[in-house]
Amino acid sequence: MVNGGVLLREILHVDMDAFFVSVEEVRDPSLVGKPVIVGGDPDGRGVVAAASYAARRYGIHSAMPLAKARRLCPHAIFLRGSHGVYGDFSRRVFKVLEKYSPLVEKMSLDEAYVDLTGCQKLHGPVLETAERIRNEIKKEVGINASIGIASNKLLAKVASAFVKPRGILWIAPGKEKKFLEPLPVGRIPGVGPKSFERFKRMGVKTVGDLVALPKELLEEVYGKSGNWLYLKSRGICTSPVSGHEEDSRSISRETTLETDSQDARFLESTLSYLVEKAATQLRASDLFVRTVTLKLRTADFKTVTRSHTLKEPTSEDHVIFNIAVNLFRKRFTRKTPVRLVGISLSSLTRESSVQTDLFEQTSHEQRDNLYQGIDRIRSKYGFRSILRGTSVHKE
Ligand SMILES: [Mg+2]
């Protein structure tokens, strides 16, 4: 759809309803309609991995300790879970999704974004396509999905959560504000229970209440989170659906120098350049890196590699560069000239560190926006249009 010359994206957030439980119900239809909890031994220390809608009526939800779930509903059926089987079902769900678009971003076993922009001619109107997808998943795999459709990922996700179970909701272009503003503020992904309580004390109950607050005030009260809230409450999200597969095991960049070098500053700037190239690809694939490996080949053709593994995955140039340069400084001696410099990013993950609440999330979110901006300019004007100070020495 084109609006004022801007191509509006059509993004689906497809989320299976009570996925683990639904799979168990397909395998044993006698479970249908009963309070079923997947998560293991109710006498053990585990937590609920999934609860059927019948179980949720007793106040049971995922991540609740199993012992508590048992107190709330002693006659519930507790299952340990069959994780290999869930993987099989998940693959079958994704097979259906991939028929409809090459841009399917897997968020977990049972949840994905599907970008249908430009697929009208092929599949017809987006709402009908969503219905077909839902019906096909039900027919082929046997489980129910809910689907949110909107012009960006944030709104699509809010929409699918809103219509669960078995719902489809399309937020038509122009209706975003009308949909979002009456919702409780906790519906914004990233606003956790703690922030929710804090908002309540401030008299902010709905997303609309939040929108009514001036940006300056949000920034004053919430610091860096203020801008994040400002954007999210208005339904603004620029993150693209990334169809890249996670199985690209590593991202590597290396370069053989035109002449062998013993100049530490030159070698470090080369390294900085390589880090930026690798990190740009990392972010374009919506991935985070845990392990950074430096590779050096000396003029006598000896190759050494040195790795460092981070506690928290990152996608930020300066974090990766600091690791790389520390590895370099530990390794480099001026005795033998260097012939080749390389950097490799591995242990790639889809998630950054687990952040459940907004206040820890914001600085990352903002930095993501910054880097997305940098990457956009680079893809338009060429990589060298933006380089770090250190990289410039290479010119
Ligand atoms: Mg789900």
Side-chain angles (χ1 to χ4, degrees):
M1 195 173 295
V2 176
N3 185 4
V6 180
L7 179 70
L8 282 177
R9 308 210 70 82
E10 290 182 325
I11 293 171
L12 269 53
H13 181 252
V14 185
D15 192 7
M16 304 310 119
D17 299 333
F19 180 59
F20 295 165
V21 169
S22 303
V23 171
E24 298 294 348
E25 287 175 355
V26 172
R27 302 173 77 212
D28 177 2
S30 77
L31 295 172
V32 176
K34 292 180 185 160
V36 176
I37 292 161
V38 172
D41 180 2
D43 298 321
R45 284 206 229 188
V47 295
V48 174
S52 69
Y53 285 90
R56 291 182 201 192
R57 263 178 241 128
Y58 292 86
I60 294 164
H61 55 79
S62 9
M64 173 184 278
L66 284 164
K68 186 174 179 192
R70 180 167 222 176
R71 277 200 301 279
L72 290 171
C73 182
H75 65 283
I77 300 163
F78 288 85
L79 301 171
R80 275 177 190 282
S82 353
H83 291 275
V85 178
Y86 303 150
D88 290 342
F89 273 70
S90 170
R91 274 187 286 281
R92 287 161 58 201
V93 169
F94 277 85
K95 237 171 121 178
V96 173
L97 298 180
E98 280 153 9
K99 283 208 279 193
Y100 287 87
S101 170
L103 278 179
V104 175
E105 182 175 350
K106 184 173 181 173
M107 300 309 288
S108 68
L109 279 182
D110 77 315
E111 186 189 337
Y113 291 103
V114 181
D115 193 337
L116 287 180
T117 312
C119 294
Q120 282 250 358
K121 268 195 185 138
L122 196 63
H123 299 305
V126 66
L127 193 56
E128 286 169 30
T129 309
E131 270 186 62
R132 278 216 304 285
I133 290 175
R134 184 186 59 181
N135 296 343
E136 199 171 328
I137 293 172
K138 179 74 181 171
K139 185 166 160 264
E140 299 291 326
V141 194
I143 61 180
N144 292 313
S146 294
I147 302 180
I149 312 161
S151 56
N152 69 42
K153 284 158 77 170
L154 167 71
L155 290 162
K157 189 175 168 76
V158 175
S160 73
F162 187 81
V163 287
K164 274 187 165 301
R166 277 195 300 263
I168 294 182
L169 179 66
W170 180 36
I171 306 175
K175 302 281 187 234
E176 290 88 351
K177 197 171 141 80
K178 209 175 159 192
F179 168 74
L180 214 50
E181 293 198 347
L183 295 181
V185 70
R187 288 278 186 163
I188 300 176
V191 175
K194 256 195 233 158
S195 334
F196 186 68
E197 284 308 311
R198 199 168 156 193
F199 278 130
K200 227 163 73 182
R201 286 199 298 275
M202 285 176 70
V204 172
K205 288 183 193 134
T206 65
V207 177
D209 294 339
L210 197 56
V211 169
L213 299 178
K215 191 178 179 186
E216 293 71 29
L217 178 73
L218 284 174
E219 280 172 345
E220 210 181 296
V221 178
Y222 294 101
K224 285 176 175 174
S225 310
N227 185 45
W228 187 93
L229 283 166
Y230 181 84
L231 295 173
K232 296 279 149 151
S233 62
R234 284 160 178 77
I236 297 168
C237 162
T238 54
S239 164
V241 176
S242 160
H244 295 282
E245 260 306 311
E246 225 166 316
D247 61 17
S248 49
R249 296 278 146 81
S250 67
I251 295 171
S252 303
R253 290 289 180 277
E254 58 180 50
T255 183
T256 303
L257 306 172
E258 277 171 35
T259 45
D260 298 348
S261 173
Q262 288 162 286
D263 179 349
R265 196 170 159 196
F266 169 73
L267 292 168
E268 284 181 15
S269 76
T270 305
L271 194 56
S272 167
Y273 172 77
L274 295 170
V275 164
E276 282 167 15
K277 288 212 103 168
T280 302
Q281 196 195 324
L282 187 73
R283 291 190 296 272
S285 315
D286 267 344
L287 293 170
F288 296 84
V289 58
R290 201 181 271 280
T291 303
V292 177
T293 303
L294 168 79
K295 179 175 170 186
L296 289 178
R297 183 171 297 145
T298 41
D300 53 6
F301 278 90
K302 277 189 190 134
T303 304
V304 290
T305 57
R306 285 291 178 275
S307 295
H308 178 84
T309 297
L310 288 154
K311 279 200 198 89
E312 283 192 20
T314 185
S315 67
E316 296 174 21
D317 288 18
H318 70 281
V319 178
I320 300 169
F321 176 68
N322 282 339
I323 296 166
V325 92
N326 280 333
L327 292 170
F328 173 80
R329 285 175 187 170
K330 272 188 210 155
R331 189 58 215 149
F332 178 68
T333 59
R334 277 172 213 280
K335 277 182 224 145
T336 330
V338 171
R339 197 185 148 71
L340 174 148
V341 184
I343 189 84
S344 165
L345 311 179
S346 57
S347 307
L348 306 180
T349 63
R350 188 62 77 185
E351 306 279 325
S352 60
S353 53
V354 180
Q355 288 148 342
T356 49
D357 212 347
L358 157 75
F359 295 101
E360 292 107 290
Q361 209 163 4
T362 308
S363 62
H364 286 269
E365 179 87 14
Q366 284 178 331
R367 201 159 273 162
D368 280 356
N369 288 341
L370 168 71
Y371 280 123
Q372 272 172 24
I374 292 175
D375 292 344
R376 251 199 316 276
I377 292 168
R378 277 178 172 160
S379 66
K380 212 164 160 187
Y381 300 108
F383 185 83
R384 285 172 172 265
S385 56
I386 304 177
L387 284 177
R388 283 176 66 86
T390 329
S391 300
V392 176
H393 296 306
K394 193 169 186 276
E395 305 298 299

